[in-house]
Amino acid sequence: MTTDLTEITVVGGDKTGLIARVTSLLFERGINIEDLDQAVRDDIFRMTLHADTSEMVCKPETLRENLHDLGDELGVDVQVRFPSDRETQQIAVLVTKESHCLERLFQAWASGDLGADISVVIGNHDDLEPLANKYEVPFHDVGDEKGVPDEAELLDLLEQYDADLIVLARYMRILSPDVVFRYEDRIINVHPSLLPAFPGASAYRQAVEEGVRIAGVTAHYVTTDLDQGPIITQRAFDVADDATAEDVKESGQPLEAEALLEAVRLHLNGDVSVHRGRTRLREAREDNYQLGLSPEARKANPDRPVDGLGEIVAGDGGESESQRDD
C-alpha cells in the first residue's frame, strides 16, 4: 500500500456483520476503500483496510471518534492511522536477555542513522534495563518470574507509546494473534537461520546437527504462523567442520543485528511491500539495491553454463563446440 492511504485495523471477537458495519460507515463519509484483508485465528477477527480519505466529508478527528464509537458498540478494537500520523515514526523494541540486536539498534538511533525514534523497550525479563537506561529510553518488564509476558499490559504500553513499528530484538516469546493482528506487517523479527530452514527454538543447534556448511539469519515480518512470515533480509556464513552450536551462534549474532537493522530501515523508508506472503521492493532505487545478496557476492557466483546457452551446433550432424575441444 502507498503511504498516502489511511490504515484502519479492526481486531476482536469474531461476529457476523463486522465488515459491513465498518465499510458502510466509511461509504457514508465519502471514503474510498482501496484494499481490504481479513482473517480469523483462534476466534480472533482481524481486518486491515486501506482507504483514500483525501475527499472524505468529515474531519480526521471525527472519523477516528466515529470508528472508535462503532468499535465500542461492536466490542472490537478499531485503530486508525492517517498518513500524517506516520511522519515521525515510533519504534517499540521487545527483548528478553540477549543484548546484541538492541545494542545495534541503539547505535544506529544515537548516530541519527535510523530514521525513527526508539520510544520504549519492553522486556519479559529485566536483564536489559541497564542498556535502555544508558540510552535514556523507558524500559518496562511485562514478564513474570518465568518470563511469561502479560500481553494486556504489553498492548497497553504499545498504545501508550504510539508504536508504529514493533521490533523483536531476540524476544524469545511467541506473540498471540491478539497482538499480531493489531500490528500486521508492522512487527519485524530476526531468526537465527536461513528460513524456511530450522524454524522454532535452537536453530543454530539444528543447523549443526544437520551438518549444514552454510548457515544464516533471517529478518522477517511476524505472522500468526511461527517463523513463516514474509522474509525481508537474510545473511549467510560458513560453518566449519568442527563447529559447535556455540561457535555458530558466535558467528551468527553480529549478522542477526545487521539483518534486523537493515530490515527495519527498509520498512521505515517504505522500500518494501508485502503481497501474498512475499516482500518486494516498491520501486527501483538509485543505488540499484535489491533484496538478497550484495553486488560483490553476486559477482562471485558463476554465470555459466546455463541450459541451452553453451551449446553451439555447426550445421546438420555437426559437432558442438565442446565436442571439438575434446
Side-chain angles (χ1 to χ4, degrees):
M1 288 295 103
T2 58
T3 56
D4 58 350
L5 295 177
T6 295
E7 181 183 87
I8 300 170
T9 303
V10 181
V11 178
D14 186 28
K15 61 186 66 176
T16 303
L18 284 174
I19 297 175
R21 292 292 300 276
V22 174
T23 55
S24 295
L25 185 151
L26 299 179
F27 174 76
E28 292 166 359
R29 287 152 182 77
I31 297 170
N32 184 46
I33 298 171
E34 299 283 349
D35 180 75
L36 187 153
D37 182 64
Q38 61 87 27
V40 177
R41 185 70 176 264
D42 296 340
D43 294 323
I44 300 294
F45 169 85
R46 185 270 304 161
M47 177 174 69
T48 303
L49 183 152
H50 294 88
D52 181 358
T53 54
S54 60
E55 297 183 3
M56 65 181 177
V57 294
C58 65
K59 295 180 179 180
E61 297 80 6
T62 303
L63 177 63
R64 195 190 303 270
E65 182 179 344
N66 292 162
L67 285 167
H68 285 172
D69 289 344
L70 178 61
D72 291 341
E73 178 187 341
L74 297 173
V76 296
D77 179 66
V78 182
Q79 298 295 327
V80 185
R81 299 172 71 234
F82 293 100
S84 59
D85 296 337
R86 299 191 289 269
E87 291 177 357
T88 302
Q89 300 186 78
Q90 303 295 320
I91 299 175
V93 185
L94 273 57
V95 298
T96 296
K97 294 184 177 182
E98 296 181 15
S99 64
H100 54 289
C101 288
L102 178 61
E103 179 72 39
R104 188 66 187 91
L105 289 167
F106 272 146
Q107 290 172 351
W109 177 55
S111 66
D113 193 30
L114 188 57
D117 285 333
I118 298 177
S119 58
V120 65
V121 177
I122 303 171
N124 63 317
H125 291 280
D126 63 3
D127 296 58
L128 299 185
E129 185 172 3
L131 181 56
N133 291 340
K134 173 184 174 181
Y135 287 90
E136 299 180 348
V137 173
F139 182 94
H140 296 269
D141 179 7
V142 299
D144 62 16
E145 65 278 0
K146 295 182 179 179
V148 178
D150 182 337
E151 286 206 336
E153 183 180 357
L154 172 60
L155 285 170
D156 287 343
L157 287 168
L158 294 175
E159 183 175 356
Q160 175 185 334
Y161 286 94
D162 197 22
D164 294 293
L165 175 66
I166 301 169
V167 179
L168 309 187
R170 300 300 288 137
Y171 180 66
M172 308 302 288
R173 286 286 174 176
I174 299 173
L175 296 175
S176 74
D178 199 28
V179 177
V180 175
F181 277 170
R182 294 168 194 267
Y183 294 91
E184 185 183 27
D185 295 341
R186 290 194 285 141
I187 307 176
I188 296 177
N189 179 52
V190 65
H191 182 75
S193 79
L194 288 173
L195 292 174
F198 311 131
S202 305
Y204 288 137
R205 183 170 300 280
Q206 291 183 63
V208 170
E209 291 174 350
E210 293 296 329
V212 302
R213 294 308 182 201
I214 296 177
V217 304
T218 303
H220 64 97
Y221 285 113
V222 173
T223 65
T224 53
D225 296 311
L226 179 63
D227 296 332
Q228 295 182 42
I231 292 170
I232 308 172
T233 57
Q234 293 184 304
R235 295 286 188 276
F237 58 94
D238 288 330
V239 178
D241 290 348
D242 58 351
T244 65
E246 191 61 31
D247 294 332
V248 177
K249 180 178 180 180
E250 185 175 341
S251 297
Q253 282 189 338
L255 297 182
E256 291 173 23
E258 287 303 311
L260 181 61
L261 177 59
E262 182 182 11
V264 168
R265 284 173 171 155
L266 288 167
H267 175 91
L268 294 172
N269 292 336
D271 287 336
V272 290
S273 62
V274 179
H275 181 67
R276 295 184 177 179
R278 295 184 59 185
T279 57
R280 63 181 64 185
L281 289 177
R282 292 189 187 277
E283 57 186 35
R285 298 187 354 174
E286 293 182 359
D287 59 0
N288 294 321
Y289 176 90
Q290 69 176 44
L291 299 173
L293 292 175
S294 66
E296 294 77 14
R298 289 195 299 274
K299 289 178 181 178
N301 286 337
D303 63 357
R304 291 292 185 275
V306 177
D307 283 351
L309 297 182
E311 185 176 329
I312 301 175
V313 178
D316 293 336
E319 294 180 328
S320 69
E321 185 179 49
S322 60
Q323 289 173 320
R324 291 196 301 270
D325 288 339
D326 290 338

